[in-house]
Amino acid sequence: EGTHAGGMDSSLSDLKFDGQAVDSDLPLIDLASRYELEGELGKGGMGEIQLATDRQLKRKVAIKRIHASSQSALNRFITEAQSIAALNHFNIVQIHDFGRDAEGPLLVMEYVSGGSLLDRLKEGKLEVEDAISITCQRCDALALAHGKGIIHRDIKPHNILISHDGRVRLTDFGIAQSSHLTEGSLTKTGAVMGTWAFMAPEQRINSKGVDLRADIYGVGATLFAMVTQRTPMD
């Protein structure tokens, strides 16, 4: 995954650093015994993603960590793990493991080698045919998520990974809203979560009250960015 940057991919959330140890209930993972760390894929204020090799299965993986130690941060991390685990789709990044080690909570996920759509847009706007292909694959992934009652709420170029063969993977379900997973009670009425430039108008007022139409807006806003290299807010 690409590195978190400012502008188009900055997310708003209610993470707070309160110094509490909140991950003791997560299963312990002996990371060093199974995975060989190979370098940093991305880093931001809320966490980092590292590239590693699974020694047993001989495959590359992405290991995601969070820096926050608050209960809200951990709950959103759990929400991401549960949301991805509930979805098995060609165009959604898959989760391999979830737990903690001495450094804190971690997610072991599928590694997508091509980087993010945000990385692609830094090189210039896309051809219409390519933008349509990416949008269709993303809609297929969201159709499954919505069918299972999961609203992503943060559709943007940074959260769309593209492999070298052109396959799209939707990622980062950290602020997803679900009718049956942990997150349902976390977002307070009136709270604003998501990424402003790609956020539906109703989500800017109350993120908890949105439905699948908020994701559809994000799809349209991202399509706009792909063909213009601008956001609808510019």
Side-chain angles (χ1 to χ4, degrees):
E1 288 184 80
T3 304
H4 281 275
M8 288 204 299
D9 67 320
S10 297
S11 294
L12 305 174
S13 76
D14 61 357
L15 297 185
K16 295 179 181 178
F17 297 80
D18 56 17
Q20 298 179 9
V22 295
D23 60 357
S24 59
D25 292 334
L26 298 179
L28 278 169
I29 297 176
D30 188 355
L31 205 66
S33 67
R34 176 157 183 174
Y35 301 101
E36 181 179 351
L37 298 181
E38 299 181 11
E40 187 178 279
L41 290 171
K43 188 173 184 178
M46 298 177 189
E48 63 185 14
I49 301 174
Q50 294 178 308
L51 176 65
T53 294
D54 184 330
R55 294 190 182 96
Q56 292 185 22
L57 297 178
K58 309 299 182 184
R59 66 180 176 187
K60 301 289 186 183
V61 297
I63 298 176
K64 182 174 183 177
R65 295 183 178 276
I66 55 171
H67 291 155
S69 59
S70 69
Q71 187 63 53
S72 61
L74 179 62
N75 286 343
R76 299 208 184 285
F77 206 55
I78 294 173
T79 293
E80 178 170 17
Q82 292 177 331
S83 297
I84 297 174
L87 303 172
N88 183 14
H89 192 278
F90 195 65
N91 297 122
I92 296 176
V93 69
Q94 294 301 294
I95 182 172
H96 300 317
D97 206 353
F98 176 60
R100 66 184 174 97
D101 66 1
E103 296 182 30
L106 60 91
L107 267 173
V108 181
M109 303 183 296
E110 173 187 12
Y111 169 60
V112 182
S113 61
S116 70
L117 176 58
L118 180 64
D119 297 329
R120 287 274 299 271
L121 288 176
K122 290 176 181 177
E123 301 172 1
K125 58 187 178 183
L126 275 60
E127 296 294 332
V128 173
E129 293 80 5
D130 292 335
I132 291 174
S133 174
I134 291 170
T135 300
C136 288
Q137 292 183 66
R138 194 172 22 148
C139 286
D140 286 345
L142 285 173
L144 175 66
H146 293 164
K148 291 183 177 291
I150 297 173
I151 312 300
H152 189 284
R153 298 198 299 182
D154 202 14
I155 302 296
K156 60 184 179 182
H158 178 80
N159 291 338
I160 300 164
L161 306 180
I162 306 173
S163 64
H164 288 303
D165 62 3
R167 187 191 309 175
V168 169
R169 303 286 207 292
L170 182 61
T171 188
D172 202 343
F173 285 76
I175 63 168
Q177 177 172 283
S178 171
S179 58
H180 62 283
L181 297 178
T182 303
E183 200 281 336
S185 62
L186 294 179
T187 306
K188 298 178 181 178
T189 300
V192 177
M193 302 185 68
T195 302
W196 196 262
F198 297 91
M199 198 185 302
E202 66 272 21
Q203 190 172 346
R204 297 173 192 151
I205 300 171
N206 178 12
S207 294
K208 188 172 184 178
V210 302
D211 57 25
L212 59 85
R213 291 173 291 185
D215 281 351
I216 293 172
Y217 181 95
V219 168
T222 303
L223 175 59
F224 180 87
M226 283 191 279
V227 298
T228 66
Q229 216 177 0
R230 297 185 292 113
T231 77
M233 299 290 289
D234 292 343

